[in-house]
């Protein structure tokens, strides 16, 4: 019997974008509201897991051609580089700084280097979760 | 105006709680997995959506806080919850969970025969 997943796949196509946007919103609001890199990364990988449930593992790796083990490395590099960057300004390791910038579209925004550290956390969480799930999923 | 919307928020939350109660009663009282799923996926969807709408209205009138996450949650639940019910029912049917003994019609039972007929028609 051929499997017919058209309802699940159609709903997944809509819902994945909603989950992904919400995870980005949670990630960026982490400084002033509940949220942050960890929960944002978990929700992004939740969206990818939903894709894995609706489609098979080959299709998903074709849609998102990312090596998740590489993502862990990039995330750790982000975290360490943000910490080491403070050494250039003659302050202790992991000292953060923030300032107000006048961006072209967004207007006056306060940018904080902690966001870069959080990006590292975000990427590592996605990488670890997806590596675990893909490894278990591929194992016979 | 604020009071009126507050009353509406209260009514929405009460309706939502009532619908959730009806859902729980339906899950307890109905005879087999399909009818229970019918109660759970419809009643609780509308119940939770009403509660969220009530909460949204309350916080909107309380301090003008337009909480778009609640709107997103309403849309999200409206999309996903019936699909979850559909998938649970289909998984139950495919693993051979029996229907209530008083049910009269099972049109999926000779599905394979239908599929063969369809193949024949395509060949002709």
């Amino acid at each position: 019997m051929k499997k017919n997943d058209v309802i699940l796949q159609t709903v997944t196509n809509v819902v994945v974008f909603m989950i992904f946007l919400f995870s980005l919103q949670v990630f960026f609001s982490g400084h002033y509201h509940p949220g942050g890199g960890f929960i944002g990364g978990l929700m992004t990988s939740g969206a990818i897991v939903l894709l894995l449930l609706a489609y098979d593992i080959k299709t998903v790796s074709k849609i998102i051609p990312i090596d998740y083990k590489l993502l862990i490395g990039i995330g750790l590099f982000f975290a360490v580089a943000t910490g080491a960057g403070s050494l250039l300004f003659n302050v202790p390791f992991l000292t953060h700084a923030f300032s107000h910038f006048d961006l072209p579209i967004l207007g006056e925004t306060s940018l904080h280097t902690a966001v870069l550290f959080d990006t590292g956390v975000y990427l590592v969480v996605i990488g670890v979760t997806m590596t675990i799930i893909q490894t278990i999923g591929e194992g016979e | 105006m604020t009071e009126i919307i507050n009353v509406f928020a209260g009514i929405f939350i009460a309706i939502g709680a009532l619908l959730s109660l009806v859902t729980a009663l339906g899950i307890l009282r109905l005879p087999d997995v399909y009818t229970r799923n019918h109660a759970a996926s419809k009643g609780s969807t509308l119940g939770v959506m009403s509660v969220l709408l009530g909460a949204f209205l309350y916080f909107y009138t309380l301090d003008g806080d337009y909480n778009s996450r609640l709107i997103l949650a309403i849309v999200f639940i409206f999309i996903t919850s019936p699909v979850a019910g559909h998938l649970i029912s289909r998984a139950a049917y495919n693993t051979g969970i029996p229907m209530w003994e008083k049910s009269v019609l099972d049109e999926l039972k000779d599905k394979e025969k239908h599929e063969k007929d369809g193949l024949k028609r395509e060949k002709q």
Side-chain angles (χ1 to χ4, degrees), chain B residues 23-81:
Chain B
T23 302
L25 282 178
I27 292 173
L28 277 178
R29 303 262 312 158
L30 288 172
D32 68 346
V33 65
Y34 307 104
T35 44
R36 282 177 180 167
N37 200 347
H38 161 79
S41 62
K42 287 170 186 62
S44 66
T45 305
L46 193 57
V48 171
M49 281 166 68
S50 301
V51 170
L52 287 175
L53 188 61
F56 172 78
L57 287 177
Y58 178 73
F59 285 111
Y60 188 57
T61 52
L62 186 72
D63 40 24
D65 176 22
Y66 185 82
N67 198 338
S68 54
R69 294 188 206 192
L70 284 172
I71 300 290
L72 187 72
I74 291 173
V75 175
F76 190 82
I77 286 171
F78 185 60
I79 294 176
T80 52
S81 164

Side-chain angles (χ1 to χ4, degrees), chain B residues 113-124:
Chain B
K113 190 174 138 264
H114 276 298
E115 279 174 359
K116 273 177 197 160
D117 287 350
L119 279 180
K120 259 184 223 160
R121 241 174 278 136
E122 275 172 24
K123 274 176 192 167
Q124 278 167 6

Side-chain angles (χ1 to χ4, degrees), chain A residues 74-123:
Chain A
I74 296 172
L76 286 175
F77 175 76
F78 259 98
V80 174
T82 328
S86 61
L87 294 176
L88 295 176
F89 299 97
N90 219 4
V91 282
F93 187 69
L94 270 179
T95 307
H96 287 292
F98 79 98
S99 178
H100 293 274
F101 292 96
D102 205 13
L103 294 179
I105 299 170
L106 300 171
E108 172 117 2
T109 355
S110 71
L111 297 181
H112 202 298
T113 51
V115 177
L116 290 174
F117 188 80
D118 227 19
T119 310
V121 175
Y122 180 78
L123 294 177

Side-chain angles (χ1 to χ4, degrees), chain B residues 1-11 57 61:
Chain B
M1 187 63 193
T2 312
E3 282 307 310
I4 297 173
I5 296 180
N6 258 340
V7 167
F8 268 108
I11 289 173
L57 287 177
T61 52

